[in-house]
Amino acid sequence: MTDSDFPSHHDVLVLGGGVAGCVLAARLSADTDRSVCLVEAGPDYGPDSPNWPQTMLDARVLPRDEVWETEPAPHRIRAKVLGGSSCINGCWHTWGSEQDHAGWAARGGPDWSAAGLEPFRQVAVERMRLRAIPDAELSVWSSGALAAAAELGYPEVADLAAPGVGPGYGCPPVNAIGDLRWNAAFAYLNPARDRPNLSILSGTTVHRLIVRAGVVQGVEVDQGGTPRTLTADTYILTAGAYGSPAVLLRSGIGPADHLSELGVPVEVDLPAVGSNLTDHPCLVLPLTPTAELNAALARKEAAGELYASQVALKAASELCPEGGWDLHLLPTAGPPLFGSLPPGEYEVGIAAFLMSPLSRGSLRLRSADPDVPVDIDLALFTDPDGRDLAVARDGLRLAAELAASSALKSWATPAAGGDPAALGDDELRSRAGTYWHPVGTCAMGTGDDAVVDPEGRVRGVANLRVVDASILPTVPAANTQLPVLAVAELLAERLIRG
Ligand SMILES: Cc1cc2nc3c(=O)[nH]c(=O)nc-3n(C[C@H](O)[C@H](O)[C@H](O)COP(=O)(O)OP(=O)(O)OC[C@H]3O[C@@H](n4cnc5c(N)ncnc54)[C@H](O)[C@@H]3O)c2cc1C
């Protein structure tokens, strides 16, 4: 089909071809009477893995190709490729607590509870081909970490991606076939690509929606340098926790004062757009590997079997409510995430992630010009009472306990520079990383702090929905890909049912 033949009107436009966008496009196009067009800014490498860049297929590494960020922003990168961040992420899966989902259900009704999401979680587990990690794949550091957790009395958890599982340790299942990263484009679009009613427009960036009197009239896109307007009966924004609020703001949907400052005409005054940004902050206990550990890791790497992290421990800080967990501790050992080391040397440490942070950041436009990067303020460790920092310090203490276990201490020793848990607040803040799990910038709910209703419909706009990580009202105590997949499955189903 040539560009001029391409229909500019569809029943549904899905705007953003990431994790949620792939689910929506696949589910909605299953009805051949519905024409669906999936629009993605990045490239489409197609259904066959040999056509993909090798790094994006390798589940052992976190690739940095095909990302939006043009300036160094290691803790808030996101992918720009069909398949979205599932093409560059860690492939790990865990699931949140009953309380996380009870909080969502209080805002969205029973479908948003753990029980309501369960059938959709199960479908996603199957589609993404989650698999367990066999013992043979473990590095000596990972095996040691499992033994260390047992030594400290933590319970073993068979499936960290299952619901109703409390604190404990295990190897999170991964969406990989062998070491092939099974991304959302493979999982959801491959079975749908041949449908005549599904079009995929890659290399096409959404600039803004044209909104008049509370109805979207069209969407302005840039298709490889050519401006176009596409139209649909229903528009579904799936551009992710940073992309979706940015498109809404450029379209005049957001806080009126912010839009007015930028000269963007206000179509719908929705103060919550771009606020409530939440991610899991991280602090690392660095360790110095012994020569034996370096040698064992080198052998594993030479065999093509080295994953930097394979073990997660759901742990409770002193401030955590009884029976829950508010930390993920990840013992890691592999090539450095940032920077480089001489051959045969590896970066070893235990990362402590805050799984229920109170701090909230925001996303704002610097300009109405879509080519100007947005202003993302994660505001990690800024909650007024300093609870997040207190939990993080305790996480570092628990990480040090793990490192001092008899199962791990013979493999690595505390790195020079003292105990990070004893560092001042500002120094700890400056060392903060993230789990790359941003959510919340178009929160679901029914009150003034919501952008979308429990169906994903944007408040005040008739034919517009948002379905992606941005609508999760709080970050669950889990990695976010599986929750996003489950929510996308749920809302696709609800849209289909009408
Ligand atoms: C480095 C990294 C590691 C991670 N590791 C894990 C992990 O191990 N386990 C886990 O569960 N989660 C992990 N995550 C998080 C997980 O990948 C995200 O929660 C998930 O991808 C969110 O899905 P989404 O659909 O909201 O956004 P995305 O998957 O990011 O998709 C958004 C899509 O929209 C497109 N887009 C954005 N703006 C526009 C526009 N204006 N026009 C057109 N297209 C646009 C983007 O290019 C992208 O393809 C990781 C994330 C990163 C970045």
Side-chain angles (χ1 to χ4, degrees), residues 224-238:
T226 307
R228 285 186 70 167
T229 300
L230 306 173
T231 59
D233 298 337
T234 301
Y235 299 80
I236 308 180
L237 202 44
T238 48

Side-chain angles (χ1 to χ4, degrees), residues 18-20 40-41 68 77 81 85 89-92 206 468-469 479-481:
V19 167
E40 165 57 40
W68 282 85
I77 57 167
V81 58
S85 295
N89 75 19
C91 302
W92 278 43
V206 175
D468 57 27
N479 304 77
T480 45
Q481 180 165 266

Side-chain angles (χ1 to χ4, degrees), residues 282-302:
C282 158
L283 288 169
V284 178
L285 175 76
L287 298 168
T288 303
T290 59
E292 289 74 23
L293 179 56
N294 271 332
L297 295 171
R299 284 194 297 276
K300 200 78 178 156
E301 188 173 29

